[in-house]
Amino acid sequence: MELANRLTKITGGGSDGWDVFYRARRMIDAGVAVTELTIGEHDIRTNPDILKAMHQAAIGGHTVYAEVPGTAKLRAAVAARITQRTAVPTAAENILITPGGQAGLFAAHHAVCDQGDTALYIDPYYATYPGTIRSLGAVAKPIVTSPDTGFQPTKAAIEAAAPSAKSLLINSPNNPTGTVYSEQVLTGIAEACQTHDLWLISDEVYDTQVWEGTHISPRSLPGMAERTLVVGSMSKSHAMTGSRVGWVCGPADVIGHLITLATHTTYGVPGYIQDAATFALGQGTKPEEAVAAPFRRRRELTLQALADQNVIRAVPAQGAMYVMLDIRATGLSGEGFANALLDAEHIAVMPGESFGQGALGHVRVAMTIDDDSYVSALQKLVGFAKKQANLQ
Ligand code: PMP
């Protein structure tokens, strides 16, 4: 019996740099002490007050089917947050609550791409992007950016790819590069979308983690609210990765259709999770700042650990919980470096290859372990890189 291509072709096939991640996990299972700087999981857990709210909601009976679009309270809380942060008037009817940002990315592409349509995304990219697009039978087309321009996409590159496309997916603050798109870049993107009648899908799950510059939601730029679908999530902002709660924000008619999609797929998000998210958003920005603070601190520690050497260059991380390191001076590929570092120092980082063509010759370090262990791992990584460079 044959399976659908849409399913079996979700991943592109071939080596995609994830081998090192799975190898590290196997070493850990075998009892080796590996320092993992791989995936975007906080080293703190969801705040106990949020868990209490979740518990009370569940004990109180919110274990029945929840409203499919999201509870009225959570939709209103998300809409208020977006209005407050972006100054774009946003109402509950503009919000669909989804099981995490990932389901939001899937829904947003489902809204705008038919089978065979081309969906653009920026490379380096978050690992699931092309697969999410392919899972709809659409064609995933990367626009490759360069470390030389801080991984900011150019309007010219978008315009060159746009004529054949239906949508463009962007992500700022960016995973994996840490880039925060400048106003000039976002204005160029907005103009290209309007000229070429593209939908813009803006993944803003790291909007609370900005270390330099300002996060601008492109939905707030002139003429963009009607063609932008914003994907948001409680995962990164509130350390609620396992709760699976996020949203899509967009024009009310699009959200109306996406509610129909949710009715036929997820059938909503558990009510007690939504109540916990409503509680969390009701606490204002203080808890978000507390969740972001360790990454702000470790980003400074990264810059300090990399000062006074020139083998490794950090691509200036302006936001999010990662730093990209340019390791080309070692003569190794990202994958070669990550594999050799795992063997020599038992430190696991993600090779640039996992994030596309733009990140070749780089590795991504997740700043997701306690400060002392983090600094010590970085020092070992630098020492390792120096040795490799001397072998050249
Ligand atoms: N977008 C980006 C850029 C991410 O890094 C992630 C998770 N690592 C997601 C979306 C999905 O997050 P979630 O489904 O947990 O909201």
Side-chain angles (χ1 to χ4, degrees):
M1 294 288 281
E2 278 199 17
L3 290 168
N5 280 330
R6 267 200 316 264
L7 177 71
T8 57
K9 302 276 192 299
I10 287 180
T11 58
S15 169
D16 57 5
W18 280 79
D19 300 354
V20 59
F21 170 77
Y22 294 114
R23 200 159 71 79
R25 285 284 157 101
R26 283 199 301 276
M27 285 167 72
I28 292 168
D29 289 345
V32 181
V34 174
T35 303
E36 273 198 289
L37 304 172
T38 48
I39 57 171
E41 184 85 77
H42 314 67
D43 47 321
I44 54 163
R45 292 291 170 260
T46 308
N47 187 300
D49 290 341
I50 300 177
L51 298 180
K52 262 184 227 150
M54 196 183 289
H55 179 73
Q56 273 161 13
I59 291 290
H62 211 174
T63 51
V64 294
Y65 289 124
E67 293 148 272
V68 171
T71 64
K73 280 189 183 148
L74 182 54
R75 292 175 85 197
V78 171
R81 180 183 192 269
I82 292 173
T83 307
Q84 196 256 325
R85 293 175 71 94
T86 66
V88 184
T90 306
E93 62 179 7
N94 299 115
I95 307 295
L96 169 75
I97 302 299
T98 58
Q102 185 58 50
L105 286 165
F106 178 80
H109 282 94
H110 217 302
V112 301
C113 289
D114 274 316
Q115 181 140 3
D117 283 345
T118 294
L120 305 174
Y121 63 103
I122 309 294
D123 172 329
Y125 54 86
Y126 171 50
T128 66
Y129 282 179
T132 301
I133 294 166
R134 284 193 289 257
S135 73
L136 298 164
V139 178
K141 186 168 169 184
I143 296 174
V144 180
T145 60
S146 154
D148 304 337
T149 51
F151 295 112
Q152 302 257 1
T154 63
K155 184 179 172 191
I158 293 168
E159 297 230 287
S164 63
K166 224 28 198 308
S167 63
L168 167 66
L169 168 59
I170 63 170
N171 169 224
S172 174
N174 187 270
N175 174 13
T177 61
T179 303
V180 173
Y181 290 0
S182 67
E183 184 170 4
Q184 191 201 353
V185 163
L186 286 168
T187 303
I189 289 173
E191 285 167 3
C193 287
Q194 290 177 46
T195 309
H196 297 279
D197 202 20
L198 290 185
W199 285 95
L200 182 64
I201 300 174
S202 179
D203 177 345
E204 301 180 23
V205 304
Y206 292 100
D207 68 346
T208 58
Q209 299 181 3
V210 180
W211 327 129
E212 235 178 60
T214 318
H215 168 67
I216 299 169
S217 174
R219 179 168 172 264
S220 68
L221 298 177
M224 290 308 287
E226 63 259 36
R227 61 172 68 246
T228 305
L229 300 174
V230 176
V231 174
S233 171
M234 300 293 289
S235 287
K236 310 294 176 178
S237 59
H238 291 78
M240 290 181 72
T241 50
S243 290
R244 315 307 306 131
V245 56
W247 55 83
V248 179
C249 170
D253 58 332
V254 181
I255 296 299
H257 288 294
L258 285 181
I259 293 169
T260 308
L261 176 69
T263 304
H264 294 86
T265 51
T266 61
Y267 212 81
V269 172
Y272 51 92
I273 301 277
Q274 295 198 59
D275 288 350
T278 308
F279 168 84
L281 291 180
Q283 304 305 297
T285 53
K286 277 247 156 57
E288 298 178 358
E289 283 158 22
V291 169
F295 304 118
R296 180 187 293 278
R297 215 170 50 229
R298 289 172 200 153
R299 182 224 181 221
E300 284 307 312
L301 293 173
T302 310
L303 299 181
Q304 284 165 23
L306 298 180
D308 303 328
Q309 57 82 45
N310 52 18
V311 177
I312 290 199
R313 195 180 69 86
V315 177
Q318 300 160 304
M321 46 172 86
Y322 317 95
V323 279
M324 272 291 223
L325 303 181
D326 180 344
I327 50 88
R328 283 176 287 186
T330 65
L332 294 171
S333 68
E335 203 165 1
F337 184 93
N339 270 309
L341 180 71
L342 181 60
D343 289 330
E345 303 288 351
H346 296 171
I347 296 172
V349 296
M350 292 300 293
E353 284 86 342
S354 334
F355 311 108
Q357 289 299 304
L360 297 183
H362 289 68
V363 295
R364 188 194 73 175
V365 172
M367 302 184 282
T368 48
I369 57 172
D370 72 86
D371 295 14
D372 289 348
S373 313
Y374 179 69
V375 169
S376 149
L378 272 188
Q379 284 164 347
K380 285 187 196 159
L381 185 151
V382 170
F384 170 81
K386 281 184 183 162
K387 263 188 248 156
Q388 295 298 320
N390 285 336
L391 294 176
Q392 292 302 298

